[in-house]
Amino acid sequence: MARRLVRYASALVLLFYGFAKINGSQFTILDSELDKPIGQVSGFWLTWYYFGFSPVYGTFIAIAEIAGALLLTFQRTTLLGACALAPILLNIVLIDLCYRVDAAATAIAFMLFVAMIGLIAPHWSELLTVFVPPKGGGSEALVRNLARWGTRAAMICAAFVFTYWIANFNNREPTPIDGAWDVVRIEPQNLAAQAPKTIFFEYNRAHMAVLKDSHGSYRTHHFEVDASAHRIQMWETWRRKGDRIFDGISALADGELMLQGIWQDAGPLTLSLSRRSYGR
């Protein structure tokens, strides 16, 4: 009786969650949240926007919840439904915790996950035999196992070393001016319309500079800094360079940056910039 109650109660809650996504009461976002810079968006609304961005993906999650719920209502398919729903619910719990989604919703997702584990538990030994079949012994088996573990260790090391190199060497070549900089003063002022409003020297993309103009458009360029000579140059195309769009000098002190040089479209120009900080 208790098992049946768990099955039907879980199924009912999952049906509510599934149809909530289909009918638009979940994964919808406020216009006021869309207006905020991404650095000011809370984890909850960031998650809500991400999952609601694709109607197809949101519908897929909804169908999985509804189908799993229906499987729970039949005794013969309860195990199948619980096995399908357990990883989905665990993922929801982790997202809710890591992105600080509503505490009540997190508690409900956790209780549903525990319910699925409870439904699976009586079949644990059977499932273990299916997914981890017993193996034979002997010296030949030992040699094969050692070789396989050596292969696994090599795969892990190769993946770690390669991705570490990508993240810390290929993608990054830190400079003192990395970060987001808002232009606070332009000289001469009559060229203000031709100057960028914000410059992003990207830390996670080596040599990438993104210039935001007064109309809100973003242009990606290549930049290089010679820290010893205080020289900075920018080119039209990231990585491939192309035409040079800026050649000048930089001065950095106390969160303030000064760029002085020749801009391709504007001529001699001096920009005073202030480093932007993002609140979380």
Side-chain angles (χ1 to χ4, degrees):
M1 182 65 182
R3 184 178 172 85
R4 182 179 298 175
L5 180 62
V6 170
R7 286 167 45 210
Y8 278 87
S10 299
L12 181 61
V13 175
L14 285 162
L15 287 171
F16 272 104
Y17 274 107
F19 282 113
K21 295 173 179 62
I22 289 176
N23 293 325
S25 59
Q26 282 193 330
F27 296 166
T28 53
I29 191 165
L30 305 177
D31 288 337
S32 56
E33 294 295 329
L34 290 173
D35 190 58
K36 295 179 181 178
I38 192 169
Q40 297 177 12
V41 178
S42 68
F44 171 81
W45 287 114
L46 190 66
T47 306
W48 227 233
Y49 179 71
Y50 173 81
F51 284 105
F53 182 82
S54 170
V56 175
Y57 186 70
T59 303
F60 172 79
I61 296 175
I63 291 173
E65 290 176 336
I66 292 168
L70 293 176
L71 288 173
L72 294 180
T73 63
F74 297 93
Q75 187 171 353
R76 293 179 60 188
T77 57
T78 293
L79 180 59
L80 176 60
C83 288
L85 287 166
I88 295 174
L89 290 167
L90 177 59
N91 186 49
I92 292 172
V93 170
L94 291 174
I95 290 171
D96 287 357
L97 288 173
C98 296
Y99 289 86
R100 289 171 280 184
V101 177
D102 179 71
T106 304
I108 292 172
F110 180 74
M111 287 189 290
L112 287 170
F113 173 69
V114 171
M116 296 307 104
I117 296 301
L119 293 173
I120 293 170
H123 306 276
W124 178 251
S125 58
E126 302 165 52
L127 291 172
L128 192 62
T129 303
V130 171
F131 292 108
V132 189
K135 58 184 179 181
S139 58
E140 292 184 6
L142 177 61
V143 172
R144 286 196 300 271
N145 285 335
L146 289 174
R148 289 167 182 165
W149 276 106
T151 302
R152 295 179 185 117
M155 291 168 62
I156 292 170
C157 290
F160 175 82
V161 170
F162 180 72
T163 53
Y164 184 87
W165 176 82
I166 288 290
N168 295 281
F169 295 94
N170 182 72
N171 286 2
R172 295 175 185 166
E173 192 171 326
T175 74
I177 63 172
D178 288 346
W181 298 89
D182 292 314
V183 176
V184 295
R185 189 168 63 255
I186 301 170
E187 297 177 4
Q189 293 185 358
N190 62 309
L191 296 177
Q194 296 169 268
K197 182 180 179 181
T198 307
I199 302 178
F200 305 89
F201 296 108
E202 300 290 357
Y203 171 72
N204 288 306
R205 288 294 183 274
H207 302 295
M208 178 185 286
V210 180
L211 275 59
K212 179 183 178 182
D213 62 24
S214 57
H215 302 290
S217 298
Y218 298 83
R219 293 176 296 150
T220 301
H221 302 291
H222 184 93
F223 84 98
E224 292 182 7
V225 172
D226 183 346
S228 60
H230 302 286
R231 188 183 183 193
I232 177 172
Q233 299 177 86
M234 295 186 205
W235 289 267
E236 186 65 37
T237 308
W238 182 50
R239 295 287 192 190
R240 296 192 297 272
K241 292 190 175 182
D243 295 336
R244 186 159 51 192
I245 64 170
F246 177 75
D247 188 358
I249 60 173
S250 64
L252 177 63
D254 299 326
E256 302 293 327
L257 175 66
M258 185 273 292
L259 299 180
Q260 185 177 42
I262 306 297
W263 290 81
Q264 184 185 58
D265 298 328
L269 200 63
T270 299
L271 302 181
S272 296
L273 304 100
S274 176
R275 189 189 291 273
R276 180 188 298 179
S277 61
Y278 293 100
R280 290 286 181 184

